Structure formats: structure tokens, C-alpha cells
Amino acid sequence: MNLLKALTIGAMFGIGVFQMLRRNVIRSTIGLIIIANAVNLFLLSTGAYQGAVAAYVNATGQRSDALPQALVLTAIVISMAGFSLVLGLLYVLSTRYHTADADEIAELKH
């Protein structure tokens, strides 16, 4: 199962980097989302270990660590804020230049 998680995270990160290197601004935005989700999945999978009970249960036994879950939740909120900023910039670019291709925007070449 760990190999499957590692391959999934690696594939998501690779697809995200591939999309970020495209000249289309929309595909770059989608790549940013995929990379953020891959990082969140990586943080959650490396911080989780085999606890016997959940983190916030009044039961005896080895509890799971709640810190990775809190960090991933914070990372999700931060990535959504960054994504909304990128969507706002994408909206301004598309209304000003009427294109999503970075090669057609003359001011981005300088």
C-alpha cells in the first residue's frame, strides 16, 4: 500500500509539473492545483502512523497523531487562497488580452 501511495503522489506531482510548464495559463493553473493536492497527500501520508484509536476519542490505547491532519487542513486553506488569487489574475489577463496563451501576450515576454 505504501508503494501505491508513493506512485500516486509521484504521478500527481509529475502531472502537475508537466501542466505548469505549458504555455497556456489555464493549464498552468490546473497544474498548480494538482501539485498542491500532491503535497497535501504527501504530508498526510508521511505524518500518519498506525494508531489504535482516533486522535480525539476518550478511549485508551495508542492514539493517532492529530498534527499532520491539522497541517494538511491549514495547507488546504492556504492553497485555496492562492488558487483564488491565481484565478483573479487569470480573469484579469483573459479580459485584458482576450487570450489564455502566454506566447500571445506581448507584455509577458519582457
Side-chain angles (χ1 to χ4, degrees), residues 7-9 17 25 40-41 46 48 59 63 66 76 78 88 91-92 97 99-100 107:
L7 289 175
T8 303
I9 292 169
V17 168
V25 182
N40 290 338
L41 187 61
T46 56
R63 294 185 178 173
I76 288 171
I78 291 171
Y91 176 72
V92 169
Y97 299 109
T99 186
E107 282 79 13

Side-chain angles (χ1 to χ4, degrees), residues 51-67:
V53 294
Y56 299 110
V57 177
N58 292 332
T60 59
Q62 183 177 0
R63 294 185 178 173
S64 297
D65 192 14
L67 182 64

Side-chain angles (χ1 to χ4, degrees), residues 3-104:
L3 180 64
L4 181 64
K5 278 193 272 188
L7 289 175
T8 303
I9 292 169
M12 285 177 65
F13 197 81
I15 290 169
V17 168
F18 178 74
Q19 291 297 326
M20 287 282 291
L21 294 176
R22 301 289 226 167
R23 296 302 296 173
N24 193 341
V25 182
I26 297 171
R27 289 182 188 238
S28 296
T29 306
I30 292 171
L32 179 70
I33 296 169
I34 293 172
I35 287 175
N37 287 331
V39 168
N40 290 338
L41 187 61
F42 174 72
L43 288 174
L44 190 61
S45 66
T46 56
Y49 63 89
Q50 303 297 329
V53 294
Y56 299 110
V57 177
N58 292 332
T60 59
Q62 183 177 0
R63 294 185 178 173
S64 297
D65 192 14
L67 182 64
Q69 297 172 7
L71 288 176
V72 168
L73 185 62
T74 305
I76 288 171
V77 171
I78 291 171
S79 66
M80 286 303 296
F83 177 61
S84 62
L85 175 72
V86 169
L87 277 181
L89 292 174
L90 180 62
Y91 176 72
V92 169
L93 277 175
S94 64
T95 55
R96 185 175 293 172
Y97 299 109
H98 303 292
T99 186
D101 190 14
D103 287 335
E104 294 180 10

